Amino acid sequence: MGTVHHMTKRGKYARRLDPALWVYIDRVNEWYPPEIAELPIAEQRAVYDAMCRAFHQGHPSGVSADDGLVTTADHDIPVRHYQLAGKAPQAIVVYYHGGGFVLGGLDSHDDICAEICAATGFEVLSADYRLAPEHRHPAAFDDALAAFEWAAATSALPIVLCGESAGGTPAAAVAHATRRHPRRAAGQVLIYPDLGGDGTGRSYVEHAEAPLLSLGDIDFYRRIRSVPGQSPDDPTFSPLKDSDFSGLPPTFIITAECDPLSSDGEAYRDRIVAAGGSAWWQEEPRLVHSFLRARKSVPRAGEAFLDILSAIASVTMLGKNNQPS
């Protein structure tokens, strides 16, 4: 009976996903079970942070990390700055973490940022933007923009915007908002981002009940960060709802096939290309949302992470041609 129940619960994904990926999915669900959504936000965050510590892979050799603050008119934004010893950086990556706009911070994606730094040689600036529900839209966007402005003011290096999951929303929104900035981004890399698709896309329908992220989860996270009367057409809330996709930096979007958000990446690529820009969308077959945490345990996730690292370097080189001299 137990085996039958287990297979039924996995549904159409039982044989569609690799056994190694199921080990990862089960481990995540052991740490952070779906029913945790019923707990108070503080408890959800504590459990999520514990899970992140359990998955943490440490820092590669030569990477140093220093914490600091970006000061705004009414609050400070914690940031963490990563550098690789012995290598002159060719760019700075401004990184916005995932966590549904509710969870996460500088520690939750610390090892991923360190590995980006080590693999590319670029500096990485991770921004601890304000979270919902205490701080609703546009708080996360405002903090993301402030982190970009700080990087532009304090570094002469080309800036690459990088966002994972929920962090893909402010990353793209900042790219849109700063496209005419004197130090506009050289490129952006978005990792299974939520870009505000309307739910009619292929993946929203086919993968509405995918492991680790369902359509219900997405709706919850969008509602919890909305202010009363939130316009769905606000491009700082839903970048796909912008009316203008011209002038954006070279863009790479990587998504997971078994993720309701995957169609957002395809739609975003198409709109940038239609507006005359450069954008690439890569959908990873038989992977699920949050596969970055499986990069060391699931070979296909590891290969996808290598593609992300290559994309960060590639969009930077392409985007340098767009930088003011």
Side-chain angles (χ1 to χ4, degrees), residues 108-173:
S108 62
H109 294 68
D110 170 71
D111 51 342
I112 292 168
C113 290
E115 289 176 35
I116 291 172
C117 175
T120 61
F122 297 172
E123 294 181 16
V124 177
L125 182 75
S126 178
D128 190 9
Y129 55 86
R130 286 171 293 171
L131 299 175
E134 300 93 331
H135 304 283
R136 298 179 187 266
H137 185 74
F141 167 74
D142 289 344
D143 288 358
L145 181 60
F148 167 87
E149 295 277 9
W150 186 87
T154 60
S155 173
L157 296 170
I159 299 168
V160 183
L161 297 166
C162 185
E164 181 208 352
S165 188
T169 307

Side-chain angles (χ1 to χ4, degrees), residues 201-277:
R202 168 189 51 82
S203 65
Y204 281 91
V205 176
E206 185 178 350
H207 299 292
E209 297 299 329
L212 300 189
L213 187 73
S214 69
L215 201 54
D217 297 330
I218 294 168
D219 289 341
F220 169 78
Y221 291 133
R222 288 180 180 173
R223 286 197 310 271
I224 202 169
R225 70 185 177 102
S226 298
V227 293
Q230 174 66 56
S231 168
D233 297 326
D234 174 0
T236 67
F237 186 85
S238 302
L240 269 173
K241 300 298 175 65
D242 203 341
S243 59
D244 180 9
F245 289 82
S246 67
L248 293 174
T251 297
F252 178 85
I253 316 108
I254 190 166
T255 61
E257 176 194 13
C258 302
D259 177 348
L261 290 172
S262 190
S263 293
D264 278 16
E266 181 178 21
Y268 192 59
R269 183 272 315 269
D270 290 348
R271 287 173 198 181
I272 293 174
V273 171

Side-chain angles (χ1 to χ4, degrees), residues 34 83 94 142 176 190 206 229 243 250 302:
Q83 295 176 285
V94 180
D142 289 344
H176 287 234
L190 308 176
E206 185 178 350
S243 59

Side-chain angles (χ1 to χ4, degrees), residues 55-58 60 111 115 291-299 301-302 305:
F55 278 93
H56 196 281
Q57 299 291 327
D111 51 342
E115 289 176 35
F291 66 71
L292 272 197
R293 287 197 201 283
R295 67 196 182 281
K296 303 289 189 181
S297 60
V298 178
F305 185 49

